[in-house]
Amino acid sequence: MNTTKIEWAEKSVNILTGCTPISTGCRRCYAAGFGRRLKAEYLKRAPIVDTPQNRANPFALRYWPEKFAEIAARKKPARIFMDSMSDWFHQDVPGDILRNLFTFMVRVSRHTYMILTKRPDRMYGYVLANRGLFPDGVVPGHIWLGTTVEHQSVIGRVDVLREIPAKVQFVSCEPLLGPLELDMRGLSWIIVGGERALGARPMDINWARSLRDQAVREGIPFFFKKHSGCGEKEGQDQLDGCQWHQFPTVNGRVI
Ligand code: SF4
C-alpha cells in the first residue's frame, strides 16, 4: 500500500494493473506511462488474458491478490484509492476477481475505499447482479463508487452511476476537457481537475467555476485538484484563491 500523491486519497493500492483506452480522457493515461516504467516487474506476472501479445504488454490486465494482505494489515483506518493503475470494470476483468474485491471491502470495513471507473455500465450490472454481497443489497457508505466524466460526450455515465444502489456515488471531472452540463441530483461528491502532463489539453477556468458554483448551490461537496499543465506552480491547486477540499459525509461525518 503506497502513500499517494492523489490529493483526495491517503493511500492507493493496485490489486489490478493494466487497461485499454475507452474515451478521450485516456489520451494521456497516467497508468499506461507507469506500466512502461515498471515494465520489467509487470512482465514477470502472467496477464489475466494469457496470450503471447498480452504477455509482452506491460499494460495488459494483471491481478496482484497479495495486495489484499497489505490493506488488511493496516489497522488505522485510511481513505484508499483502489486502483489508480487500472479500471476494475474493464470487460476482461473476470467476475470472480470482482467478487474477491467487493467481498474483501465489505469485510474489512474500517477503511474507506474509492473506486473510479470509465465503465459504469459494467459496475451497474455487476452490483445489481450481486446485491447479496452487500448489507440490505446496497453498497455501504465506506465503499465510494465513482465515474469519470471528462467531456460532455460521456455525460451519460452519470445517469448509469446514479442507478447503482450505493450510499456514496461521486463524479470525477478530470481531466476536464470542455464545459459540462452535469445533472448533480443524488450525487455525493464532485471532483474537478485539469489534465496534468507535458502537452496537457487546457482547462478553461470557467468550466471549473461553473461546476463549483453548481455544487455549492446544490450542497454537494466539491474538490478541486489542480489546473491543467505540468510542473509545480504556486496556486495551481486553488480556484479563485481558495482551496476546495470538501469530502462526502455519511450520517453527518466524513468516513
Ligand atoms: S480507463 Fe483509466 S486506466 Fe484505463 S486507459 Fe483510460 S485513463 Fe487509463
Side-chain angles (χ1 to χ4, degrees), residues 30-253:
Y30 161 89
F34 230 87
R36 285 190 289 276
R37 264 177 281 151
L38 296 178
K39 182 173 177 180
E41 187 190 333
Y42 284 8
L43 291 188
K44 286 185 203 152
R45 173 114 357 163
I48 289 175
V49 179
D50 199 357
T51 61
Q53 197 186 19
N54 279 349
R55 260 176 255 152
N57 174 9
F59 201 48
L61 277 161
R62 289 178 167 81
Y63 182 41
W64 309 83
E66 64 272 27
K67 302 278 179 180
F68 284 124
E70 290 179 24
I71 308 173
R74 183 183 164 100
K75 299 296 171 225
K76 192 175 166 203
R79 212 166 46 239
I80 306 173
F81 182 27
M82 297 298 273
D83 278 81
S84 57
M85 298 293 156
S86 185
D87 185 333
W88 282 9
F89 297 95
H90 188 283
Q91 67 274 12
D92 290 341
V93 175
D96 287 355
I97 290 183
L98 291 176
R99 171 169 285 267
N100 293 344
L101 292 163
F102 278 106
T103 304
F104 176 86
M105 294 188 297
V106 169
R107 182 170 59 80
V108 184
S109 60
R110 63 183 171 279
H111 301 306
T112 299
Y113 304 97
M114 307 147 104
I115 300 127
L116 191 55
T117 185
K118 287 191 178 73
R119 298 165 169 93
D121 293 297
R122 186 161 184 222
M123 185 191 255
Y124 167 81
Y126 184 81
V127 171
L128 238 68
N130 293 277
R131 290 184 84 154
L133 293 177
F134 309 108
D136 303 321
V138 176
V139 180
H142 70 283
I143 302 175
W144 300 1
L145 299 184
T147 193
T148 301
V149 176
E150 71 271 28
H151 190 265
Q152 191 68 27
S153 58
V154 291
I155 201 78
R157 290 175 185 163
V158 182
D159 295 326
V160 180
L161 178 79
R162 224 192 310 271
E163 293 301 313
I164 301 177
K167 290 206 169 150
V168 178
Q169 298 158 328
F170 68 98
V171 171
S172 171
C173 308
E174 190 204 6
L176 185 57
L177 300 173
L180 287 185
E181 293 280 330
L182 178 59
D183 175 0
M184 295 188 185
R185 253 179 321 129
L187 299 177
S188 311
W189 196 26
I190 306 294
I191 300 167
V192 170
E195 190 163 67
R196 303 289 309 167
L198 209 59
R201 290 166 283 181
M203 176 184 73
D204 186 322
I205 192 171
N206 287 321
W207 305 338
R209 280 181 178 138
S210 159
L211 290 167
R212 174 201 60 194
D213 294 347
Q214 187 185 345
V216 168
R217 261 194 324 273
E218 303 199 18
I220 298 170
F222 179 80
F223 195 107
F224 181 73
K225 274 185 76 180
K226 282 180 180 164
H227 292 276
S228 52
C230 71
E232 299 299 311
K233 283 196 197 96
E234 205 180 323
Q236 66 184 0
D237 60 346
Q238 297 187 357
L239 195 51
D240 295 327
C242 289
Q243 209 173 42
W244 291 83
H245 281 187
Q246 299 174 337
F247 286 91
T249 54
V250 173
N251 299 330
R253 66 186 185 94

